[in-house]
């Protein structure tokens, strides 16, 4: 049979379709014969044609992979002998590669201890004096260990001793390459026995990589993955060699004679190290050498006649690949900003940036601006509070630079500042809006790359302006509508449509007059079916979603049903993940305006989204192949898997050990992320109507919690939280036992999952998302969360772990005692998300139950209020204390707990009132008011001191929000212990600060207090009627003040007018006309 089989396989290699089809049919028949395995073994060993020998090895691999258990014992033993025999005599590398893959598949079924000949062969070949034999032995060793590492663990010490020698065999780079690939696999399985050997290998490894770079840069860049594995391993393996690794990577990254691939790999390894082990980098004083090496890369001019990719005029702003050293250098600074204390980073960085910004070389100036731009996200607080004015001035000046590359970098920096430095950056709108509008109007529209960057800056700046955009609306909308109607360029139209979305986010209802022409323009783009308009179409859907959320229910509702039909029709006819993603966002937006419109279509909508979550489309598995040979294996593998599938009923699955990695197209990741977000929001907004789809949606979203991409995981956890809130809402509206049981069942799955993820997830952003989702669930579901008696302890402990920096994503395992007060802003932000959960716990359970956990958590919060901590930390600490006290007001046993804590909290809050930062003062004043309210009579003896502190503050305070909160705090003190307050002095001082200017929510507290005072001390209130009536006149008819407060004020006014008409009329006549009419309307309405 072997001769016949050889002929068939030979025929498959012919460039003749008819011959191939005939051979395929014959092969299917041959595969049904039990003798096919020995026949393939014979062909694999004896054919004179390398391609045929290789095909035979591939066919055997497929047979073994799927049907090992069905192969007879004799055939198995023969196969084990034959494959090693074939391997020993084979001279063609491509065939050896396929044979090694066959062995790798066999090792998964037949562990090494049951295949002693394999171990013997590996031992002989890897130690052979013949360089080629060593190379082949190391290839086989790599494939079998990579396929199934665990059974080889007893041999790892022996393997590492072998590698110690191989790494010094610099004349055999291929052997070194396979050795390093195997080492990369072994690292994750290293136990205490192998630690010392692994540590001792690292110096030789670095030298070996240097030699491999000289021999083969492609292989070297792949082998350098070993460095990332080492960084992720036990700290003790790499800690003594971190400096050597960094210097090696910097040397490679800086070498302009090398190709981009290997330089990018080296620089990416440094960014990865900073992300994982920032404390080690700081402790070993590596920040300065890293910056010293990467600045010349960041500021390098491109070769003569060329441009950096982002400066090409055909660049449409979509270029996000970090495929060149300059991008990687910027990424390193970005990573430092996200993972290092800003004080330490800026100390080293600013002198370098300042030198660049005044340099005569435009690429130096560009580098300085790019550096400022990438710092904005990670060091936002530091820039906002210490240097915003000066860096904005620098960036604005760059927009008039003589060189376009500098102007483009300035636009990018301004866009980054606008995105990350809110709200402070928006206060500069009077300077920046005219500058950006002028810049945009002066552009040559043919230079698409430049126009894109100008739109990016303008859009990011406008989006957060709120009502401050009003004076610019006519100019902006004329510009945008004119561009939509007059330009033929689809990219310009797309940018314009996106900008209209940004304008809508800021302007909200102010955009209503422009809504008809905007919708008219969008309609033409929304219904297109041509491929060249696809990007414009998806952007139009995105902007339509923004309009749905911002323009107002009355204006958008008439279009809601039409929008849903349009979305469903398009996803039926066009297969495009970006377009589908945008329709999900549109459905989600419509659910916030008119959820009833979605109800008839929920089956269709959820079906499409769940298919998107299930789909593997866009995910490419990279099958492990030799990189230097074009193997028949690639095509034949797929073809013959189908052959095999025809012969059996078994389902064909991809074997994960044949996969070297996965890559996922971004648009499919975005689609999964948006599907999770939309399902969560739609479930919450549509309530009971979504109930039939809740279980299937939850099951599919729950599977996404392990998805490789962190954005999808974060969105999945967000949706899981929304599902809990949705079910709680359904139960509240229809309180049946079934609905309650469904809620508790959901909470019992979701909450343990949240707690475990916070402890074990590597990505900080995901953990922040989970904490936020957990907080929202507790806020909505309150006591239902804690029906399970263990839950309070679990959640309290996980919050404590985050505050103590004990979770996996917090760089655990290094000296945390150093510089306790200095940490990266994002690390502080993570702790803020955790801390925000404490008041929510306090509000959800009886105070006595929570008190032991609160005693455990409070010191961790108070430690962040020290004067040596950052403004953000101090503000957070006193803010959380205030919210805890506010929560204790409303729960049983709260007064006792607040009273017991008052001695610990009072000094912290009083110190905060004297802080130099207005936000810290504001939160501290709020906290003192809540302490008075929560502790009641227990704290009366401290009233004189508190009033004295407030009196001193009032004399010099200029911040409106602090003064507003001071009014509320005094009101809380009065309501809590009216007899302990000298009303004759305090109430006039309180009224003199009204009306409230910024924190309008506190009107509720102030006016409940004034109403109470009218009952308690009517004579005083009549005496102060002019001030009280004036304060009331600012609240009545104010759309920013809630309805209940307006009613309280109206009742008070009516009391005055009925019982003290003369004093009241006199007070009214002293007011401006507009306020007089508001009062008369209020009186007649009540």
């Amino acid at each position: 049979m072997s001769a016949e089989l050889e002929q068939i396989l030979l025929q498959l290699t012919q460039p003749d379709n008819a011959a191939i089809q005939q051979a395929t049919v014959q092969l299917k028949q041959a595969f049904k014969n039990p003798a096919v395995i020995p026949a393939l073994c014979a062909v694999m060993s004896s054919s004179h044609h390398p391609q045929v020998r290789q095909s035979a090895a591939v066919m055997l691999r497929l047979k073994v992979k799927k049907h090992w258990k069905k192969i007879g014992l004799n055939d198995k033993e023969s196969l084990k002998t034959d494959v090693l025999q074939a391997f020993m005599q084979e001279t063609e590398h491509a065939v050896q590669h396929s044979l090694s893959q066959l062995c790798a598949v066999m090792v998964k079924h037949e562990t090494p201890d049951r295949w002693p000949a394999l171990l013997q062969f590996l031992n002989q070949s890897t130690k052979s004096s013949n360089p080629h034999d060593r190379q082949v032995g190391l290839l086989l060793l790599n494939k079998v260990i990579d396929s199934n590492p665990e059974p080889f663990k007893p041999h790892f010490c022996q393997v590492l001793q072998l590698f110690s020698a191989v790494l010094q065999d610099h004349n055999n780079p291929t052997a070194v390459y396979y050795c390093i690939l195997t080492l990369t696999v072994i690292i994750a399985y290293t136990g205490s026995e192998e630690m010392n050997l692994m540590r001792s290998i690292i110096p030789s490894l670095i030298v070996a990589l240097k030699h491999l770079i000289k021999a083969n840069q492609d292989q070297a860049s792949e082998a350098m993955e070993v460095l990332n594995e080492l960084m992720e391993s036990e700290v003790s393996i790499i800690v003594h060699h971190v400096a050597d690794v960094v210097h090696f990577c910097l040397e490679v990254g800086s070498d302009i004679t090398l190709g981009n691939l290997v330089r990018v790999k080296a620089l990416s390894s440094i960014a990865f190290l900073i992300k994982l082990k920032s404390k080690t980098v700081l402790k070993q004083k590596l920040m300065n050498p890293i910056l010293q090496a990467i600045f010349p890369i960041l500021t390098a001019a491109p070769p003569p006649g060329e441009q950096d990719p982002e400066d090409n005029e055909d660049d449409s702003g979509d270029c996000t690949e970090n495929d060149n050293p300059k991008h990687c250098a910027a990424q390193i600074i970005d990573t430092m900003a996200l993972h290092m204390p800003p004080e330490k980073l800026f100390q080293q960085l600013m002198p370098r940036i300042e030198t660049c910004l005044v340099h005569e070389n435009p690429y130096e100036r560009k580098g300085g601006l790019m550096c400022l731009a990438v710092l904005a996200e990670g060091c936002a607080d530091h820039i906002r509070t210490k240097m915003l004015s000066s860096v904005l001035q620098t960036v604005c000046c760059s927009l008039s630079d003589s060189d376009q590359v500098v102007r483009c970098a300035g636009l990018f920096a301004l866009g980054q500042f606008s995105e990350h430095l809110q709200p402070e950056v928006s206060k500069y709108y009077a300077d920046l809006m005219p500058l950006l509008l002028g810049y945009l109007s002066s552009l040559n529209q043919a230079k698409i790359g430049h126009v894109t960057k100008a739109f990016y800056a303008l859009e990011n700046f406008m989006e957060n302006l709120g009502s401050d955009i009003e004076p610019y609306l006519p100019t902006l909308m004329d510009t945008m509508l004119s561009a939509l109607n007059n330009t033929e360029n689809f990219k310009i139209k797309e940018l314009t449509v996106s900008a209209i979305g940004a304008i809508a986010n800021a302007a909200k209802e102010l955009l209503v007059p422009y809504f008809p022409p905007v919708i008219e323009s969008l309609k033409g783009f929304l219904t297109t079916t041509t491929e060249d308009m696809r990007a414009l179409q998806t952007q139009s859907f995105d902007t339509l979603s923004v309009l749905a959320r911002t323009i107002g229910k009355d204006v958008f509702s008439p279009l809601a049903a039409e929008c849903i039909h349009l979305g469903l029709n398009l996803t039926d006819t066009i297969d495009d993940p970006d377009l589908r993603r945008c329709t999900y966002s549109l459905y989600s937006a419509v659910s916030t305006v008119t959820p009833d419109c979605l109800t008839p279509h929920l089956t269709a909508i959820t079906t499409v989204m769940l298919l998107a979550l299930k789909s593997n489309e866009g995910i490419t598995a990279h099958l492990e192949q030799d990189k230097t040979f074009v193997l028949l294996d690639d095509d034949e593998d797929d073809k013959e898997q189908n052959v095999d599938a025809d012969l059996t009923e078994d389902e064909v699955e991809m074997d994960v050990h044949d996969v070297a990695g996965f890559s996922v197209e971004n648009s499919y990741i975005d689609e999964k992320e948006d599907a999770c977000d939309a399902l969560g929001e739609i479930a919450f907004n549509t309530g009971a109507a979504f109930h039939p789809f809740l279980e299937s949606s939850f099951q599919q979203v729950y599977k996404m919690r392990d998805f490789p991409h962190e954005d999808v995981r974060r969105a999945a956890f967000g949706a899981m939280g929304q599902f809990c809130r949705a079910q709680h809402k359904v139960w509240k509206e229809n309180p049946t036992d079934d609905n309650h049981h469904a809620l508790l069942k959901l909470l019992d799955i979701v909450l343990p999952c949240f707690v475990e993820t916070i402890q074990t997830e590597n990505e900080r952003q995901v953990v922040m998302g989970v904490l936020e989702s957990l907080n929202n669930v507790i806020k909505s579901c309150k006591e239902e969360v804690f029906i399970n008696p263990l839950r309070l302890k679990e959640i309290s402990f996980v919050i404590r772990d985050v505050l103590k920096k004990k979770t996996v994503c917090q760089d655990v395992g290094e000296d945390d005692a150093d510089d306790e007060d200095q940490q990266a802003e994002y690390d502080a932000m993570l702790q803020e998300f955790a801390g925000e959960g404490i008041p929510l716990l306090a509000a959800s359970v009886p105070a006595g139950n929570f008190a032991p956990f609160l005693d455990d958590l409070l010191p961790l919060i108070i430690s962040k209020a020290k004067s040596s901590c950052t403004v953000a930390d101090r503000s957070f600490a006193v803010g959380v204390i205030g919210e805890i006290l506010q929560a204790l007001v409303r729960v049983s046993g709260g007064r006792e707990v607040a009273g017991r804590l008052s001695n610990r909290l009072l000094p912290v809050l009083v110190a905060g009132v004297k802080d130099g930062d207005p936000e810290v003062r504001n939160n501290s004043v709020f906290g003192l008011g809540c302490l008075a309210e929560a502790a009641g009579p227990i704290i009366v003896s401290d009233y004189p001191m508190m009033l004295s502190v407030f009196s001193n503050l009032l004399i010099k305070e200029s911040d409106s929000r602090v003064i507003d909160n001071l009014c509320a705090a005094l009101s809380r003190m009065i309501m809590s212990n009216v007899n302990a307050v000298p009303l004759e002095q305090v109430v006039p001082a309180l009224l003199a600060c009204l009306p409230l200017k910024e924190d309008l929510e506190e009107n509720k507290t102030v006016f409940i207090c004034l109403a109470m005072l009218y009952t308690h001390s009517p004579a005083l209130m009549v005496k102060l009627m002019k001030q009280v009536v004036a304060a009331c006149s600012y609240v009545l008819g104010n759309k920013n003040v809630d309805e209940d407060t307006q009613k309280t004020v109206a009742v008070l006014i009516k009391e005055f007018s009925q019982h003290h008409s003369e004093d009241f009329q006199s007070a009214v006549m002293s007011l401006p006309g507009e306020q007089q009419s508001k009062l008369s309307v209020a009186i007649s309405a009540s």
Side-chain angles (χ1 to χ4, degrees):
M1 183 183 181
S2 58
E4 178 194 339
L5 203 54
E6 178 168 12
Q7 271 312 114
I8 296 171
L9 292 175
L10 189 61
Q11 204 172 325
L12 279 172
T13 66
Q14 304 305 311
D16 177 346
N17 284 340
I20 290 171
Q21 283 174 349
Q22 187 188 352
T24 304
V25 173
Q26 291 172 321
L27 194 61
K28 283 183 183 181
Q29 281 304 112
F31 260 65
K32 292 175 182 174
N33 188 331
V36 73
I37 288 180
L40 281 170
C41 283
V43 174
M44 176 179 75
S45 303
S46 58
S47 172
H48 297 299
H49 303 281
Q51 276 185 303
V52 171
R53 295 199 299 278
Q54 186 178 15
S55 292
V58 170
M59 298 302 151
L60 277 167
R61 176 157 68 93
L62 292 169
K63 204 73 177 151
V64 166
K65 184 191 288 187
K66 285 291 159 198
H67 308 295
W68 180 255
K69 288 177 182 169
K70 297 177 185 174
I71 298 171
L73 192 61
N74 289 342
D75 280 351
K76 283 180 183 174
E77 290 306 316
S78 300
L79 181 56
K80 279 152 65 172
T81 306
D82 291 347
V83 69
L84 290 179
Q85 188 62 48
F87 206 93
M88 285 182 220
Q89 67 191 35
E90 185 55 66
T91 54
E92 291 285 334
H93 193 90
V95 185
Q96 287 168 341
H97 194 282
S98 291
L99 288 166
S100 69
Q101 288 183 312
L102 170 56
C103 289
V105 170
M106 290 166 68
V107 159
K108 282 210 282 292
H109 301 288
E110 203 73 345
T111 50
D113 54 328
R114 282 159 50 200
W115 192 359
L118 172 68
L119 289 175
Q120 191 182 351
F121 174 72
L122 287 170
N123 201 25
Q124 285 172 355
S125 58
T126 54
K127 292 175 181 171
S128 165
S129 58
N130 180 327
H132 181 261
D133 288 353
R134 290 201 301 279
Q135 187 177 309
V136 170
L138 286 159
L139 162 66
L140 181 56
L141 182 66
N142 172 240
K143 296 301 174 198
V144 294
I145 288 186
D146 194 16
S147 154
N148 195 7
E150 200 64 50
F152 286 92
K153 210 168 180 315
H155 307 282
F156 278 177
C157 283
Q158 192 184 342
V159 169
L160 287 169
Q161 284 165 343
L162 166 70
F163 286 174
S164 189
V166 175
L167 288 170
Q168 295 174 50
D169 188 2
H170 300 148
N171 295 324
N172 194 347
T174 307
V176 168
Y177 166 67
Y178 287 124
C179 162
I180 297 175
L181 292 189
T182 314
L183 188 60
T184 308
V185 176
I186 287 177
I187 290 167
Y189 295 86
T190 303
S192 49
E193 290 174 48
E194 296 90 3
M195 286 279 190
N196 287 332
L197 276 167
M198 188 70 83
R199 271 196 292 269
S200 66
I201 280 177
I202 293 175
S204 310
L205 172 65
I206 293 170
V207 176
L209 283 168
K210 287 180 183 177
H211 282 274
L212 189 55
I213 287 169
K214 288 176 188 166
N216 186 325
Q217 289 186 31
D218 288 351
Q219 285 188 347
S221 65
E222 190 188 350
M224 280 165 70
E225 184 60 32
V226 73
L227 301 177
N228 289 11
E229 280 294 328
L230 281 168
M231 289 166 198
E232 280 196 288
S233 68
E234 283 283 334
V235 177
S236 56
I237 294 179
I238 192 161
V239 72
H240 299 298
H241 301 286
V242 166
D244 298 333
V245 170
V246 166
H247 290 305
F248 162 69
C249 289
L250 290 174
E251 187 183 312
V252 175
S254 303
D255 188 344
I256 56 172
T257 65
L258 296 174
N260 273 358
L261 188 67
V262 73
R263 292 180 67 197
V264 162
K265 186 66 189 174
L267 294 169
S268 300
S269 293
I270 290 179
F272 191 67
L273 172 67
I274 293 165
K275 182 181 172 184
L276 287 183
K277 307 265 193 280
S278 60
K279 291 172 192 160
T280 304
V281 172
L282 287 169
K283 202 170 176 188
Q284 298 199 16
K285 298 187 167 40
L286 293 169
M287 188 202 286
N288 195 38
I290 291 171
L291 291 174
Q292 207 167 335
I294 64 171
F295 254 77
I297 302 171
L298 188 67
T299 57
E306 292 184 30
Q307 285 187 309
D308 288 335
E310 67 274 11
D311 292 326
N312 283 335
E313 267 318 325
D314 58 358
D315 173 42
S316 59
D318 303 327
C319 173
T320 53
E321 292 175 33
N322 279 349
D323 56 356
N324 67 62
K326 187 172 279 197
H327 280 168
C328 284
Q331 187 189 29
I332 288 172
I333 292 172
D334 188 9
T335 310
M336 284 180 163
L338 288 165
H339 295 276
M340 289 180 169
E343 296 79 6
K344 293 187 173 180
L345 181 57
F346 275 72
Q347 194 181 345
Q348 304 269 2
L349 208 47
M350 282 318 289
R352 289 187 166 90
I353 293 176
E354 284 159 6
T355 305
C356 288
L357 291 171
V358 296
H359 204 282
E360 59 187 22
N361 181 337
Y363 284 96
E364 292 273 351
R365 300 199 294 280
K366 173 189 171 178
L369 288 162
M370 294 299 284
C371 198
L372 284 176
V374 297
L375 288 168
E377 183 183 5
C379 299
D381 275 340
H382 187 86
I383 297 173
R384 280 203 312 252
T385 53
K386 297 208 164 77
M387 56 200 305
L388 182 57
S389 178
S390 63
V391 293
L392 266 182
Q393 196 175 354
T394 300
V395 170
C396 290
C397 290
S398 73
L399 298 186
S400 53
D401 195 280
S402 58
D403 199 297
Q404 187 175 305
V405 300
V406 181
R407 297 198 298 277
C408 283
L411 289 167
F412 175 63
L414 190 52
Q416 288 284 291
F417 287 3
S418 302
E419 191 173 337
H420 300 296
L421 305 182
Q422 294 296 342
E424 286 80 357
V425 74
S426 289
K427 291 173 185 168
Y428 292 84
Y429 70 89
D431 299 320
L432 285 167
M433 278 303 288
L435 181 70
L436 284 165
L437 287 170
Y439 194 89
L440 199 63
S441 64
S442 69
L443 289 180
N444 173 356
Q445 290 206 346
K447 296 188 169 183
I448 295 291
H450 197 170
V451 174
T452 301
K453 291 173 183 69
F455 265 98
Y456 168 74
L458 178 67
E459 198 174 306
N460 276 7
F461 188 73
M462 290 188 305
E463 193 155 27
N464 296 289
L465 281 183
S467 58
D468 288 332
I469 202 171
E470 189 169 5
Y472 306 102
L473 263 184
T475 310
L476 279 167
M477 291 310 296
D478 285 352
T479 307
M480 299 304 157
L481 291 169
S482 162
L484 286 184
N485 296 327
N486 299 327
T487 182
E488 295 302 310
N489 187 300
F490 289 152
K491 184 65 191 179
I492 301 278
K493 284 183 191 281
E494 183 193 334
L495 293 168
T496 306
V497 169
S498 178
I500 290 170
I503 294 167
N505 265 323
K508 299 191 167 50
E509 289 92 347
L510 294 170
L511 202 66
V512 169
Y514 304 96
F515 187 66
V518 167
I519 285 294
E520 206 49 48
S521 293
L522 292 186
K523 277 182 179 172
F525 311 145
L526 289 166
T527 52
T528 182
T529 52
T530 61
E531 196 58 43
D532 57 350
M533 285 179 72
R534 187 75 63 242
L536 173 56
Q537 184 181 28
T538 55
Q539 184 55 63
S540 299
F541 268 98
D542 270 343
T543 293
L544 191 59
S545 302
V546 174
L547 290 167
R549 290 177 189 275
T550 55
I551 202 81
K553 184 174 180 175
D554 294 344
V555 180
F556 197 84
S557 291
L559 292 173
E562 192 184 341
C563 286
I564 293 160
H565 283 294
L566 176 65
L568 289 169
N569 288 341
L570 280 171
T571 48
D572 276 349
T573 52
I574 299 168
D575 181 15
D576 182 287
D578 280 324
L579 188 60
R580 286 195 298 271
R581 174 186 68 73
C582 293
T583 64
Y584 307 158
S585 298
L586 181 60
Y587 306 145
S588 200
V590 169
S591 78
T592 65
V593 185
T594 50
D596 293 349
C597 268
L598 261 74
T599 307
H601 306 288
L602 281 174
T603 304
I605 287 170
T606 54
T607 301
V608 176
M609 292 193 208
L610 296 183
L611 281 172
L613 293 181
K614 286 176 190 168
S615 165
N616 288 328
E617 207 176 352
I619 300 176
T620 310
H622 306 300
L623 292 179
E624 182 62 68
Q625 304 292 4
D626 191 285
K627 306 301 179 290
T628 52
F629 290 86
V630 179
L631 296 180
L632 177 76
D633 195 298
D634 274 344
D635 297 326
E636 292 302 329
D637 209 336
D638 291 339
K639 185 191 302 176
E640 297 308 334
Q641 277 207 33
N642 293 334
V643 169
D644 227 17
D646 290 340
L647 307 178
T648 72
E649 296 299 312
D650 288 6
E651 187 184 345
V652 177
E653 289 179 5
M654 184 176 292
D655 193 311
V656 76
H657 287 292
D658 282 352
V659 173
F662 293 92
S663 66
V664 187
E665 285 179 50
N666 282 345
S667 50
Y668 289 96
I669 291 174
D670 292 343
E671 186 188 4
K672 287 182 192 305
E673 182 187 353
D674 284 9
C676 287
D677 287 339
L679 282 167
E681 188 168 20
I682 291 167
F684 185 71
N685 290 330
T686 55
F690 195 84
H691 203 252
F693 311 98
L694 189 63
E695 189 165 347
S696 57
S697 299
F698 177 80
Q699 285 172 354
Q700 202 53 52
V701 166
Y702 187 70
K703 290 176 185 171
M704 294 288 108
R705 74 195 189 284
D706 295 323
F707 193 79
H709 200 282
E710 65 260 29
D711 288 346
V712 177
R713 294 202 299 281
R714 184 202 51 72
F717 289 118
M720 284 155 63
Q722 288 276 50
F723 292 150
C724 293
R725 295 176 66 226
Q727 181 58 37
H728 180 264
K729 189 170 153 186
V730 167
W731 169 61
K732 278 291 184 187
E733 288 166 3
N734 182 15
T736 64
D737 286 348
D738 284 351
N739 281 339
H740 193 232
H741 176 71
L743 170 63
L744 297 182
K745 184 181 169 188
L746 205 52
L747 290 171
D748 276 341
I749 298 169
V750 171
L751 293 170
C753 174
F754 280 1
V755 168
E756 185 190 356
T757 304
I758 293 164
Q759 289 165 328
T760 59
E761 165 68 51
N762 286 310
E763 291 297 330
R764 201 171 46 186
Q765 290 292 117
V766 177
V767 177
M768 284 188 206
V770 175
L771 284 164
E772 186 176 21
S773 202
L774 174 63
N775 290 345
N776 288 333
V777 170
I778 297 170
K779 197 183 294 182
S780 291
C781 305
K782 289 201 165 60
E783 59 274 10
E784 302 310 310
V785 169
F786 302 101
I787 284 178
N788 180 328
L790 295 174
R791 191 93 354 104
L792 181 59
K793 179 180 177 182
E794 287 169 0
I795 295 174
S796 299
F797 279 11
V798 85
I799 291 173
R800 183 195 63 186
D801 286 347
V802 176
L803 292 174
K804 285 185 162 185
K805 303 181 193 173
K806 297 290 185 197
T807 67
V808 168
C809 74
Q810 290 174 292
D811 198 0
V812 184
E814 299 184 45
D815 295 339
D816 288 338
D818 297 356
D819 298 317
E820 188 60 37
D821 295 338
Q822 289 197 333
Q823 61 177 341
E825 286 182 11
Y826 265 70
D827 289 329
M829 206 184 293
L830 175 69
Q831 292 183 307
E832 285 179 24
F833 276 110
E836 282 163 11
I838 302 173
L840 297 171
L841 293 180
S844 303
V845 294
N849 295 9
F850 185 47
F853 303 109
L854 184 57
D855 287 341
D856 203 16
L857 293 166
L858 259 185
L860 300 169
I861 298 295
I862 291 171
S863 70
K864 293 183 175 296
K866 293 183 297 193
S867 58
S868 58
C869 293
T870 63
V871 167
D873 273 351
R874 300 199 304 275
S875 170
F876 156 69
V878 289
V880 167
I881 289 168
E883 285 171 12
I884 291 168
L885 290 165
Q886 189 181 38
L888 290 175
V889 171
R890 301 186 192 93
V891 294
S892 68
R895 175 153 288 186
E896 290 75 10
V897 172
R900 185 169 58 74
L901 295 173
S902 60
N903 287 340
R904 288 162 72 188
L905 298 181
L906 199 55
V908 178
L909 295 170
V910 168
V913 172
K914 299 170 184 173
D915 197 276
D917 182 80
E919 196 178 327
V920 179
R921 293 198 299 280
N922 181 62
N923 290 352
S924 302
V925 168
F926 170 74
L928 280 175
C930 291
L931 179 59
E933 190 179 5
I938 304 168
I939 202 174
V940 162
S941 59
D942 293 301
Y943 264 39
M945 180 271 288
M946 291 164 71
L947 289 168
S948 165
V949 167
F950 284 163
S951 173
N952 291 334
L953 178 65
L954 200 50
I955 293 165
K956 54 192 175 191
E957 186 56 69
S958 58
D959 188 279
S960 302
R961 185 170 282 271
V962 178
I963 295 169
D964 290 352
N965 269 282
L966 183 54
C967 294
L970 289 170
S971 301
R972 287 186 171 95
M973 289 177 76
I974 292 167
M975 287 189 286
S976 189
N977 292 289
V978 67
N979 296 323
V981 179
L983 298 176
E984 296 280 350
Q985 286 92 50
V986 172
V987 178
L990 166 60
L991 290 168
C993 297
L994 299 179
L996 302 186
K997 313 287 188 304
E998 284 192 40
D999 198 345
L1000 300 189
E1001 280 181 31
E1002 288 294 12
N1003 274 307
K1004 184 174 186 175
T1005 311
V1006 170
F1007 283 97
I1008 290 173
C1009 174
L1010 292 176
M1012 187 214 86
L1013 281 171
Y1014 177 64
T1015 308
H1016 179 273
S1017 309
L1020 176 65
M1021 292 300 279
V1022 171
K1023 185 171 141 189
L1024 297 169
M1025 188 174 293
K1026 195 174 280 189
Q1027 293 96 307
V1028 177
V1029 169
C1032 292
S1033 71
Y1034 284 101
V1035 170
L1036 291 167
N1038 185 335
K1039 63 175 194 240
N1040 297 316
V1041 177
D1042 69 284
E1043 212 172 298
D1044 287 345
T1045 303
Q1046 305 238 15
K1047 281 179 186 165
T1048 304
V1049 173
V1051 169
L1052 186 59
I1053 289 292
K1054 193 165 186 182
E1055 286 288 316
F1056 285 166
S1057 69
Q1058 285 178 353
H1059 301 295
H1060 310 280
S1061 56
E1062 199 176 313
D1063 291 315
F1064 178 66
Q1065 283 308 322
S1066 165
V1068 172
M1069 295 312 291
S1070 66
L1071 294 173
E1074 189 186 339
Q1075 269 132 295
Q1076 287 186 31
S1077 56
K1078 275 187 190 173
L1079 287 171
S1080 48
V1081 168
I1083 293 164
S1084 55
S1086 62

